[in-house]
């Protein structure tokens, strides 16, 4: 099956780039217009141009401007944070575009015709999860709507055993084989102020996976130690094998300075012995100073810094090349007393026991603040603290981490915790982005960075394309309030060319809900992080090489 097997397995291709540059951006021009950037002088200490890490396909260093090629329409449903999927659902060799809109899961054909819609009677916050959950080789789609998880087949028919009801609201959904039985499980995380459990997993039959929910089943081990739980408010899930036992494990940072790491069995990972007051990882307090984290408290909470993981969408990837993946989290930063909250973001890289890699003993702190911590109102939410993991610099060991800070900038950071570049996409506190996707758009083996912005105001949002050195290549205005979901890179038409699929915040009734842009001269062989959460399983997992 084209495209689908690569993404469903959660595998990635290695690609290259990286530099030091900081340029200002901002939407301009008419809808569909490409706004060319001014030429910025490189910094004096700018590294050399990026080296390709993907195999070049005979392309050019020039990246064509995205051209609007298809407009998908239905009614008035608005988009939340669900990044579209592009898959051949029915096996006919043609792609379908899957995009939740409001309380409806909608599927269009590659010709733009609406094929079917499934109404959930509750908003769909997180991206649709596409995989084979029944073991029959066919694809199903899972979505979470308020307190229910729905699983439908390729024709939009509900799978027996679904929907399943948990608690309200499930804002994170992903998939992986947590019990090593060869079939995928659906994993959800809960937005709740004081939950007993933050995570749940279901079989393709709708039955709970063994050991889930971990605390309610007394599987986690938290009953005998301190585990501090809080809600998971925005795609706070990564699912992948952390310990090499063949089972997918679950990472769920939550609305405090703590994060839950659980084995696929539901058992919480043991904390490293350096942490004095907890035996389990959900009891590790993420204070910036390692000495304070070890003891679990700060002598001066007014000045000590700590993480807050309210909207953290984590990743699992091997940064140091030892074959063992680490947990990577982008957190907001506050003082430990929680009296000063707008202190930017920080990148954390830790092992499954909460211990830190040598280069990451102190998290990389990006302190600037323009906006993002707070919801902006009018169904426009704050920033999702997520990062994308891809090799964009072949001369630098390990993959790079690309993310949006609270400072109006996109940042690229090396696996060794060195900032490579930043790009200012806004100085407007009413403009945010949901995150970036990464793929080669000119077949030269060097990937580009693609993201969209959104705003409380109309006509302030745009689709951006940056090169691997952080320089703006293209900026295309988006209608209405822009797009909160992360875009998707995929070959919609089946001609080997990459399209950019953008699910808009606003819909114009029977006029547009989703835009599809074609990038001429692009190819599909280098798409290391092509959609929200990295793949159709939405698990943020980059398998070790």
């Amino acid at each position: 099956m084209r495209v689908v097997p690569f993404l469903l397995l959660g595998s990635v291709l290695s690609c290259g780039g990286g530099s030091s540059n900081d340029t200002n951006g901002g939407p301009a021009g008419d809808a569909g217009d490409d706004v060319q950037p001014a030429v910025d002088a490189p910094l004096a200490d700018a590294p050399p141009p990026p080296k390709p890490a993907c195999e070049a396909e005979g392309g050019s260093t020039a990246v064509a401007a995205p051209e609007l090629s298809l407009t998908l329409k239905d009614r008035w449903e608005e988009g939340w944070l669900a990044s579209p999927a592009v898959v051949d659902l029915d096996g006919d060799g043609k792609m379908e575009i899957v995009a939740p809109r409001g309380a409806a899961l909608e599927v269009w054909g590659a010709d733009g015709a609406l094929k079917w819609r499934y109404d959930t009677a509750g908003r769909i916050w997180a991206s649709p999860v596409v995989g084979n959950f029944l073991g029959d080789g066919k694809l199903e789609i899972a979505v979470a709507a308020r307190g229910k998880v729905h699983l439908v087949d390729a024709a939009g028919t509900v799978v027996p055993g679904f929907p399943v009801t948990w608690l309200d609201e499930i804002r994170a959904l992903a998939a992986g084989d947590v019990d090593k039985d060869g079939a995928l499980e659906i994993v959800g995380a809960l937005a709740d102020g004081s939950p007993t459990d933050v995570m749940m997993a279901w079989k393709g039959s709708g039955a709970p996976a063994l050991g889930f929910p971990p605390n309610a089943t007394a599987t986690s081990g938290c009953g005998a130690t301190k585990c501090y739980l809080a809600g998971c408010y925005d795609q706070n899930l990564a699912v992948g094998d952390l310990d090499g036992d063949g089972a997918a494990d679950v990472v769920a940072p939550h609305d405090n300075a703590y994060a839950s790491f659980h084995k696929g069995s539901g058992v919480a990972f043991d904390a490293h012995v350096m942490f004095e007051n907890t035996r389990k990882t959900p009891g590790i307090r993420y204070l910036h100073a390692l000495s304070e984290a070890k003891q679990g408290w700060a002598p001066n909470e007014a000045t000590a810094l700590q993480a807050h993981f309210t909207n953290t969408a984590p990743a699992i990837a091997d940064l140091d090349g030892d074959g063992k993946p680490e947990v990577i989290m982008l957190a907001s930063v506050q003082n430990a007393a929680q009296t000063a909250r707008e202190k930017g973001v920080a990148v954390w890289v830790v092992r499954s026991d909460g211990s830190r890699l040598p280069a990451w003993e102190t998290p990389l702190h990006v302190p600037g603040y323009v906006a993002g911590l707070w919801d902006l109102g009018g169904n426009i939410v704050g920033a999702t603290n997520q990062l994308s993991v891809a090799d964009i610099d072949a001369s630098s060991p390990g993959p790079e981490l690309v993310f949006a800070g609270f400072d109006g900038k996109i940042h690229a950071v090396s696996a060794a915790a060195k900032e490579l570049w930043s790009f200012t996409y806004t100085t407007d506190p009413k403009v945010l982005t949901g995150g970036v996707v990464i793929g080669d758009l000119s077949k030269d083996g060097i990937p580009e960075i693609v993201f969209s912005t959104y705003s409380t105001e109309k006509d302030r949002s745009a689709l951006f394309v940056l090169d691997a050195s952080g320089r703006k290549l293209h900026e295309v205005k988006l209608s209405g309030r822009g797009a909160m979901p992360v875009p998707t890179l995929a070959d919609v038409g089946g001609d080997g060319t990459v399209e950019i699929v953008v699910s808009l915040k606003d819909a114009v009734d029977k006029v547009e809900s989703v835009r599809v842009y074609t990038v001429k001269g692009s190819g599909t062989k280098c798409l290391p992080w092509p959609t929200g959460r990295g793949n159709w399983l939405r698990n943020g997992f980059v398998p070790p090489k």
Side-chain angles (χ1 to χ4, degrees):
M1 203 175 291
R2 292 181 300 116
V3 177
V4 174
F6 149 62
L7 288 172
L8 289 182
L9 291 173
S11 61
V12 293
L13 301 175
S14 295
C15 304
S19 176
S20 227
N21 190 42
D22 186 9
T23 59
N24 286 325
D30 295 328
D33 287 351
D34 180 51
V35 183
Q36 296 299 330
V39 177
D40 289 54
L43 299 181
D45 60 348
K51 293 182 179 179
C54 290
E55 181 181 352
E57 301 178 65
S60 167
T61 56
V63 177
E67 297 180 5
L68 185 63
S69 58
L70 197 61
T71 301
L72 309 180
K73 61 194 74 172
D74 187 26
R75 298 306 302 271
W76 52 79
E77 293 86 358
E78 64 181 332
W80 287 90
L81 278 298
S83 184
V86 179
V87 291
D88 180 6
L89 283 176
D90 51 16
D92 67 351
K94 298 179 181 179
M95 291 294 180
E96 281 78 38
I97 300 170
V98 182
R101 303 285 306 168
L105 175 63
E106 302 191 321
V107 174
W108 290 267
D111 60 357
L114 183 68
K115 299 187 74 169
W116 54 264
R117 60 177 282 158
Y118 172 80
D119 292 306
T120 60
R123 71 176 175 189
I124 303 172
W125 183 282
S127 301
V129 179
V130 184
N132 177 210
F133 295 95
L134 302 182
D136 57 2
K138 299 179 181 179
L139 294 177
E140 292 81 41
I141 307 169
V143 292
R146 301 301 315 194
K148 294 184 178 181
V149 173
H150 302 255
L151 186 66
V152 299
D153 65 18
T157 302
V158 180
V159 171
F162 288 87
V164 294
T165 301
W166 192 25
L167 297 169
D168 189 25
E169 179 179 28
I170 305 167
R171 294 192 187 178
L173 205 67
D177 182 4
V178 301
D179 57 8
K180 294 193 297 186
D181 68 350
L184 292 170
E185 280 74 46
I186 303 168
V187 183
L190 182 65
D192 187 284
S194 54
T196 301
D197 281 285
V198 296
M199 63 179 68
M200 181 60 187
W202 297 271
K203 308 286 290 180
S205 64
L210 185 65
F212 287 85
N215 290 338
T217 59
T219 304
S220 69
C222 282
T225 189
K226 295 179 180 179
C227 294
Y228 300 101
L229 306 183
C232 301
Y233 284 93
D234 188 0
Q235 304 176 82
N236 301 44
L237 271 180
V239 180
D241 187 359
L242 279 168
D243 55 7
D245 67 353
D249 305 308
V250 183
V251 171
H254 26 81
D255 185 27
N256 54 17
Y258 300 84
S260 294
F261 304 169
H262 287 249
K263 294 177 181 288
S265 62
V267 176
F269 275 93
D270 289 339
H272 192 279
V273 293
M274 74 172 76
F275 298 107
E276 300 169 6
N277 296 311
T278 184
R279 290 194 303 106
K280 293 293 183 179
T281 52
I284 297 172
R285 185 178 178 183
Y286 284 81
L287 288 152
H288 282 219
L290 182 56
S291 59
E292 295 175 349
K294 288 178 179 179
Q295 63 190 16
W297 55 275
N300 187 343
E301 295 211 336
T303 58
L305 298 180
Q306 69 177 10
H308 209 76
F309 297 116
T310 307
N311 300 318
T312 296
I316 298 173
D318 178 15
L319 289 196
D320 59 5
D322 66 353
K324 300 175 182 179
E326 287 79 44
V327 175
I328 308 165
M329 300 178 288
L330 181 67
S332 65
V333 179
Q334 61 180 16
N335 67 349
Q338 300 189 60
T339 56
R341 300 288 303 276
E342 297 179 353
K343 290 186 171 293
V345 299
V347 181
W348 294 80
V349 178
V350 301
R351 302 181 183 92
S352 61
D353 60 3
S355 61
R356 307 178 188 181
L357 299 188
W360 297 90
E361 283 198 354
T362 301
L364 188 147
H365 185 195
V366 180
Y369 189 88
V370 174
L373 182 62
W374 316 107
D375 289 346
L376 301 183
N379 287 348
I380 299 294
V381 302
T384 303
N385 295 137
Q386 62 183 300
L387 42 74
S388 300
V389 183
D391 187 0
I392 67 167
D393 186 351
S395 64
S396 176
E400 282 69 52
L401 313 177
V402 186
F403 59 92
F406 285 156
D407 56 357
K409 298 180 181 181
I410 304 297
H411 298 265
V413 174
S414 75
K418 176 184 178 182
E419 181 156 25
L420 302 176
W421 52 259
S422 66
F423 166 79
T424 301
Y425 72 88
T426 189
T427 57
D428 186 342
K430 294 183 179 180
V431 176
L432 297 171
T433 182
V436 308
V437 289
I438 302 172
D440 179 8
L441 299 182
S442 66
K443 297 197 290 190
D444 65 349
I446 303 174
E448 279 69 48
I449 315 299
V450 179
F451 63 98
S452 58
T453 60
Y454 62 93
S455 176
T456 54
E457 308 293 333
K458 292 183 178 181
D459 302 322
R460 294 194 184 184
S461 304
L463 174 68
F464 287 85
V465 180
L466 311 182
D467 71 10
S469 297
R471 289 182 284 262
K472 183 172 69 174
L473 300 177
H474 303 291
E475 177 182 348
V476 180
K477 184 177 177 181
L478 295 176
S479 64
R481 295 180 291 168
M484 292 201 305
V486 174
T488 289
L489 307 178
D491 180 7
V492 172
D495 60 357
T497 301
V498 173
E499 276 75 40
I500 305 173
V501 185
V502 179
S503 183
L504 299 170
K505 174 59 182 174
D506 299 318
V508 180
D509 191 20
K510 297 183 180 180
V511 175
E512 70 170 0
S513 297
V514 177
R515 289 185 177 184
V516 180
Y517 295 87
T518 295
V519 182
K520 293 180 179 179
S522 59
T524 60
K525 291 186 177 180
C526 181
L527 299 174
W529 194 280
T531 191
R533 311 300 302 120
N535 53 60
W536 305 144
L537 298 185
R538 312 299 182 178
N539 57 22
F541 179 47
V542 181
K545 296 179 181 179

